[in-house]
Amino acid sequence: MSVSQTDFLKKNIADVRTRIHAACLAAGRSPEEVLLCAASKTQDADTVRAAAALDIDLFGENRVQELCQKHKAGAYAAKPLHLIGHLQTNKVKQVVGRAALIESVDSQHLLDCIAAEAEKQGLCQDILIEINIGCEPSKSGIAPQALDALLLHAGTLGSVRVRGLMAIPPAALTPGAARPYFARMRDLFEQTRCRSLPNVQMDYLSMGMSGDFEDAIAEGANIVRVGTAIFGARKPPAK
Ligand SMILES: *Cc1c(COP(=O)(O)O)cnc(C)c1O
């Protein structure tokens, strides 16, 4: 990484922190409550390594192959690593134990596979349940009305712990358009938090990206996943 590339990241992260700070103050929240997840898909190991030395709390990766490559290269340094993209069951083995949190659990079958692998490795895997809050057919995540059944099922499994919820609302066509979805997520999160369910500890509400994290913070997000506002525009994915 050149000095100017590192400076670019440093300035972007400082700007994002300023925005987080302002959004927290506006919402009457403490900025320390909100974790900044650097969404590092398509960024190379050197870029990730440079960001790891700066003021971010954790990394989020979408693809298992990328996550493993950068993890093996030591790019995340001591920062926690979350999986934030869709997980296929045949890749569970590579992620369990490597990701501190799997944010994108979206089926009972996937949950069972994660629990089985965690048991095999002798650990307890923390997960979030991804909610398809806009009920969009093209998106992963479970329907809000399916949450109860999945939480109850999680209670029967020994080696997983549900730590909260994650969502990617429909792409906002106008500023503020995602906010009602964030509000619905907050309701689900609070309702679940009030119940005491086995293996469920509602600590994290992961929502908000570069374009809309202020609205997410206003509605209670405590993990925001920020890509382009930190790293700049992504190159188109390699075919
Ligand atoms: C890419 C990605 C982000 C970050 O998106 P930006 O708009 O670049 O900030 C957040 N969450 C998920 C699941 C992503 O895939």
Side-chain angles (χ1 to χ4, degrees):
M1 288 296 284
S2 68
V3 172
S4 69
Q5 282 168 307
T6 304
D7 284 349
F8 172 76
L9 291 178
K10 202 184 266 184
K11 180 187 181 301
N12 289 348
I13 291 168
D15 288 348
V16 169
R17 285 289 184 192
T18 302
R19 285 172 60 189
I20 291 174
H21 206 269
C24 285
L25 290 191
R29 302 180 58 194
S30 157
E32 287 80 55
E33 283 174 31
V34 177
L35 296 175
L36 174 55
C37 167
S40 47
K41 59 175 174 264
T42 77
Q43 306 302 328
D44 62 24
D46 285 344
T47 305
V48 167
R49 195 175 286 111
L54 301 172
D55 185 21
I56 57 129
D57 295 298
L58 59 107
F59 286 99
E61 286 290 351
N62 284 70
R63 298 181 58 195
V64 174
Q65 196 186 345
E66 266 190 65
L67 178 152
C68 292
Q69 279 167 358
K70 290 177 233 180
H71 186 257
K72 284 173 187 158
Y76 305 111
K79 302 279 172 161
L81 175 58
H82 292 186
L83 182 73
I84 60 176
H86 181 68
L87 177 57
Q88 291 170 289
T89 52
N90 63 350
K91 299 195 173 145
V92 161
K93 215 187 321 187
Q94 294 164 268
V95 178
V96 168
R98 190 169 255 148
L101 191 63
I102 301 174
E103 296 199 13
S104 44
V105 173
D106 60 0
S107 75
Q108 181 171 319
H109 181 54
L110 177 59
L111 190 58
D112 286 340
C113 291
I114 292 170
E117 179 60 28
E119 191 168 339
K120 208 156 117 192
Q121 294 186 25
L123 51 85
C124 182
Q125 178 68 54
D126 282 344
I127 64 123
L128 302 185
I129 294 176
E130 182 176 353
I131 308 286
N132 185 353
I133 196 64
C135 300
E136 298 169 281
S138 61
K139 285 229 178 108
S140 43
I142 61 164
Q145 22 340 334
L147 177 60
D148 249 38
L150 196 53
L151 289 173
L152 292 177
H153 183 72
T156 68
L157 302 171
S159 336
V160 289
R161 191 166 43 158
V162 180
R163 299 293 302 276
L165 304 178
M166 182 268 227
I168 309 169
L173 299 176
T174 50
R179 182 140 178 192
Y181 296 102
F182 293 140
R184 246 175 266 169
M185 284 300 298
R186 172 195 220 139
D187 287 344
L188 269 184
F189 182 73
E190 295 298 341
Q191 283 160 19
T192 312
R193 188 149 59 171
C194 292
R195 302 159 64 190
S196 56
L197 297 167
N199 291 353
V200 178
Q201 188 185 316
M202 293 306 248
D203 295 318
Y204 298 116
L205 180 57
S206 173
M207 56 187 194
M209 316 203 294
S210 294
D212 58 15
F213 66 75
E214 284 96 341
D215 282 346
I217 287 171
E219 297 295 348
N222 56 17
I223 300 177
V224 292
R225 307 178 310 266
V226 180
T228 46
I230 292 176
F231 297 105
R234 283 180 288 275
K235 298 179 198 88
K239 293 271 155 59

